[in-house]
Amino acid sequence: ELLFSTSYDLLTQENESVCHSKIKIDIPHSVLTWNIDGLRPRVLKHADLLDDFGKQVSNQRPSVIFIQECHLRYADERDRSVCHPDLISHLETFCKCLPDYTLVGMSLTAKMAAGQLAFVRHGIQHPDVRYNFKVDDPTHSDGGRVILLEFPDIVMLSTYTPATSKLTQESIIRRKEFDQLVKQFVVGHSKLSH
């Protein structure tokens, strides 16, 4: 039994075709998420935290890992899944603590704030990735707030919800609008799956 797969590596932006023999492809069944509050400071100042995180991941072996608030800028407004060249080395260093995972999604921002990353463990079929709640829309949500992984049998959604720590009328309205979008998506998606 042969399984042929093609993957796209977001770091190198290269396609890789591999022929595997007698490899069982797992379905995703567990998720680990970490609000890292800035990937760059973790890489530069807290290598011990990354080592601990890598050990925890090795022990738990989650199917999917979402990293929220990575604070990485995109290189180009037209494609928010390409990291700014000045920050690639930090992303590569972080990825080294996850040797059994492939980076499958990045939703980055114009400034060093917010943003998300998504990783899938080797041996799990790579999902279709979306960055907003609209079908067939390749654009990213503002602030890198949505990563949606669509596997054949399950959909995994990671949202970085707008903060309401400063209780202004604007922040409350923005949060309510975002919550409504999430609710509409989840309710609509639930109806589609029945």
Side-chain angles (χ1 to χ4, degrees), residues 13 72-88 106-111 138-140:
Q13 298 180 1
L72 295 175
R73 291 188 320 266
Y74 53 71
D76 186 337
E77 169 70 33
R78 294 167 295 181
D79 187 354
R80 293 184 182 188
S81 59
V82 176
C83 189
H84 193 279
D86 294 346
L87 301 168
I88 290 275
M106 291 194 295
S107 190
L108 310 177
T109 61
K111 54 188 179 184
T139 61
H140 289 239

Side-chain angles (χ1 to χ4, degrees), residues 33-35 66-71 107 109 113-116 133 141-147 157-166 170-183 186:
T33 184
W34 182 18
N35 183 323
F66 289 111
I67 303 297
Q68 296 177 332
E69 212 172 341
C70 62
H71 297 185
S107 190
T109 61
Q116 296 191 77
F133 296 117
S141 64
D142 287 337
R145 299 203 177 280
V146 175
I147 293 186
L157 170 65
S158 176
T159 62
Y160 177 66
T161 305
T164 54
S165 56
K166 296 176 184 171
E170 180 184 326
S171 70
I172 292 169
I173 289 170
R174 185 177 66 218
R175 174 64 184 265
K176 284 182 178 180
E177 289 172 350
F178 187 81
D179 290 348
Q180 188 62 32
L181 283 173
V182 172
K183 181 179 177 182
V186 171

Side-chain angles (χ1 to χ4, degrees), residues 32-59:
L32 184 141
T33 184
W34 182 18
N35 183 323
I36 198 167
D37 192 25
L39 189 138
R40 185 173 178 259
R42 300 289 179 247
V43 167
L44 293 176
K45 299 176 184 172
H46 303 286
D48 56 327
L49 257 179
L50 291 185
D51 290 340
D52 291 345
F53 179 67
K55 289 174 187 170
Q56 180 181 2
V57 167
S58 290
N59 290 336

